[in-house]
Amino acid sequence: MHTFYCETAIMTCQKWRNNILGYGLWVCFVLDLVSLTILALCNEVSSEIFTAKHQEGRSFLGSGLNVTGTQKLLLSLNKAAVKSIQVLSCCVSDLRYLQSPDGDIIDCVLLHHQLAFDHPKLADHKLQEAPSSWPRGIVAESNSSQSSDEELQLWHRMGRCPTGTIPVRRTKAEDILRAVAAKKSFGRKTNEPLIPSSPPGAPQDSSSYGHEHAIAYVRGHQFHGAQASINVWRPRIQVSHEFSLSQMWLLSGSFVRLNSIEAGWQVSPELYGDINPRFFTYWTSDGYQSTGCYNLLCSGFIQVGHGIALGASISPVSSFSGAQYDINILIWKDPRTGNWWMAYGQNSVVGYWPAELFPHLRSYATMIEWGGEVVNTRPGGKHTATQMGSGHFPEQGFSQASYIRNIGLVDSRNQLQLPSYLHTLAQRPRCYDIKSSYNKNWGLHVYYGGPGQNPGCR
């Protein structure tokens, strides 16, 4: 069957499914079944049962996936929810959830029932409900134009999850179908981060599996955490299987032994099905080979806060020469337990990565990076026009170029300090660039980004 007709049939079926809220479980199930059957016929998917590797913090592969495997995957990812603010009914009976304006369904799942506890390394893990201490000297500021009581994510317009639960973005059949159609691993990155050469400034390999970076970084010390306020934009994505993100990396180890903890915002039509900037996390303990995933799409990260949903749309978003918004992210190692905690916004705890996950980050990070990344698939044989940051070069400055400010490092004494230096590196500066700067209000900060394809970038 021709690819166009396959995709059209699947999209039509899923559109019908999303418009029948209230018609009951069996209607939703039948439409999901029809979608998956079409996919199986189009791709000649084998009858091999899909293996759910989430019990080892592994990904859900997009090959050999059939109807039974997909339904099992959805059931393993979407834990039973409890009553929340708005009650709708579809697809799983007796579940309560929030319907976000962007089409997301946010399940309020009991904290102790989350996917993280399926990980075999966490079988004897004792839940830590709060950090033993916060870094001293933290700067308590987040979105530059909002207070902690205002909305930070689109789904907040519909309410909040109650105490004792965590908000989980529900995985839908179409999320998995997009990964299968692209023959990619669902919920996983397929690349390594940019590791600057030694000495700084030496030539870099610009291929990096089609991923291009513009980053600031520090290294050569023992880092126990980092902080940044990251300007939020909605960059243009040229083709659906590319993405653009802005984030912070905490790294230790190398090659297949690389440990990485990451957080920031991302626009990825393939992963999320739209062009909204979304708050995301990522982790790996083996150089992106088989462990780790985005958000809560495998076991590992333990969420304890009930205010922020991983993978949910950020609101509001910056506008060119208009209002500017940023999200503040703080990640630090708990001095007592060794777990890596994350706070979002005005010091709102989200959760933590257990120390058991990481052989190298169990001690400390050896490098911190801040910046942007895009996927360049060279559509039409030319460099992609997918934008990084605001889509404008750093020289254009505030309200036009994207920035990262409020940059801080946590030392071995659990003290947050300002870095004394920042190295910068852009793999293709005529496509995406980065510049560091300093002022009394922001200290060391960077402007970064670019339009991608232009007369100097082909």
Side-chain angles (χ1 to χ4, degrees), residues 392-398 401-402 432-435 446-450:
H392 294 266
F393 285 113
E395 291 81 3
Q396 294 183 245
F398 184 76
S402 186
Y432 315 105
D433 204 2
I434 185 167
K435 303 291 183 184
V446 296
Y447 284 100
Y448 69 100

Side-chain angles (χ1 to χ4, degrees), residues 423-437:
H423 296 299
T424 58
L425 175 63
Q427 287 172 290
R428 301 194 64 180
R430 293 186 177 183
C431 306
Y432 315 105
D433 204 2
I434 185 167
K435 303 291 183 184
S436 63
S437 186

Side-chain angles (χ1 to χ4, degrees), residues 86 98-106 151 153-159 274 276 278 313 315:
Q86 181 179 354
L98 300 175
Q99 180 79 51
S100 175
D102 58 5
D104 282 356
I105 295 175
I106 304 297
E151 77 174 50
Q153 297 184 315
L154 276 178
W155 68 275
H156 289 162
R157 298 178 185 178
M158 310 308 297
D274 60 26
N276 291 330
R278 292 171 175 271
S313 298
S315 175

Side-chain angles (χ1 to χ4, degrees), residues 230-284:
I230 306 175
N231 197 197
V232 181
W233 293 82
R234 184 179 286 108
R236 176 178 178 267
I237 309 298
Q238 183 173 355
V239 292
S240 62
H241 47 283
E242 295 180 338
F243 67 65
S244 179
L245 60 76
S246 297
Q247 69 169 71
M248 176 169 64
W249 292 259
L250 291 84
L251 305 167
S252 188
S254 59
F255 303 106
V256 296
R257 296 184 300 275
L258 180 71
N259 293 186
S260 180
I261 289 175
E262 307 169 24
W265 62 261
Q266 176 184 41
V267 176
S268 176
E270 183 177 271
L271 184 59
Y272 303 107
D274 60 26
I275 57 171
N276 291 330
R278 292 171 175 271
F279 174 54
F280 82 96
T281 62
Y282 199 90
W283 71 273
T284 181

Side-chain angles (χ1 to χ4, degrees), residues 179-192:
V180 173
K183 298 181 180 180
K184 292 185 177 180
S185 299
F186 176 61
R188 280 192 58 214
K189 284 187 177 184
T190 57
N191 73 298
E192 298 177 4

Side-chain angles (χ1 to χ4, degrees), residues 385-413:
T386 288
Q387 299 173 335
M388 179 187 291
S390 68
H392 294 266
F393 285 113
E395 291 81 3
Q396 294 183 245
F398 184 76
S399 83
Q400 297 186 3
S402 186
Y403 62 79
I404 300 178
R405 63 184 183 92
N406 196 23
I407 293 174
L409 298 168
V410 181
D411 63 20
S412 59
R413 299 171 300 162

